[in-house]
Amino acid sequence: TQNVDRETVVSRLLAADDILFVPKNPNGDTIGSGTALCLALQQLGKNAAVLCSDPIPAMYDYMPITVFDGSFRPAFVVAVDVAGFSFGERNNIQEYAEHVNLCIDHHGSNSGYAYETLVDAGAAAVAELLTTLIPEMGAKITP
């Protein structure tokens, strides 16, 4: 993997189309951050969706998660809050998880499985990183 800075992350996301977010073990940070980035990119006119290898707990039903339905061919795969590569085999996610273009994480233990990785071990959560990344992309943070 190549470690990248925030500016590179913003540049990569703005240049990408047909973006797939691949969370696993969906907790509030993983599914929340993936959904927030997905919505921000949709705001900017991009195809973006979430494909989770694990069932999303009912407690997150209030989130407007755009679940990947196969309506586009993912060209750019992003993992958020995923420190290691093991994604599981549900939902045919392995096909996409083997080629993760970008990982945004806050775990210092990140294994470096993505082509490019932004890790800020000083952040309490990936959501904290998004408070600056989303506005830098030109999208608005909405409720």
Side-chain angles (χ1 to χ4, degrees):
T1 191
Q2 178 180 357
N3 292 321
V4 295
D5 58 19
R6 293 169 190 256
E7 293 78 23
T8 301
V9 168
V10 168
S11 173
R12 297 291 187 264
L13 290 171
L14 290 176
D17 286 309
D18 300 327
I19 304 155
L20 184 65
F21 292 91
V22 290
K24 71 172 194 174
N25 302 325
N27 61 32
D29 191 28
T30 302
I31 198 67
S33 294
T35 298
L37 266 175
C38 183
L39 292 170
L41 290 163
Q42 289 172 350
Q43 232 183 77
L44 298 173
K46 299 189 177 284
N47 283 328
V50 174
L51 180 64
C52 194
S53 66
D54 301 296
I56 299 170
M59 65 193 273
Y60 301 118
D61 285 349
Y62 70 92
M63 289 186 189
I65 302 169
T66 303
V67 176
F68 182 64
D69 62 4
S71 62
F72 64 89
R73 177 81 180 137
F76 196 78
V77 178
V78 180
V80 293
D81 192 42
V82 177
F85 178 74
S86 172
F87 281 89
E89 297 183 12
R90 289 186 211 95
N91 296 331
N92 295 321
I93 198 168
Q94 197 63 33
E95 172 185 353
Y96 305 111
E98 291 177 1
H99 306 285
V100 177
N101 299 93
L102 176 65
C103 174
I104 304 170
D105 197 7
H106 69 108
H107 297 102
S109 62
N110 187 288
S111 67
Y113 60 89
Y115 293 115
E116 295 183 310
T117 304
L118 170 65
V119 175
D120 184 344
V126 171
E128 182 180 341
L129 302 175
L130 298 185
T131 62
T132 57
L133 289 174
I134 288 174
E136 287 173 20
M137 290 178 356
K140 293 182 182 181
I141 295 177
T142 63

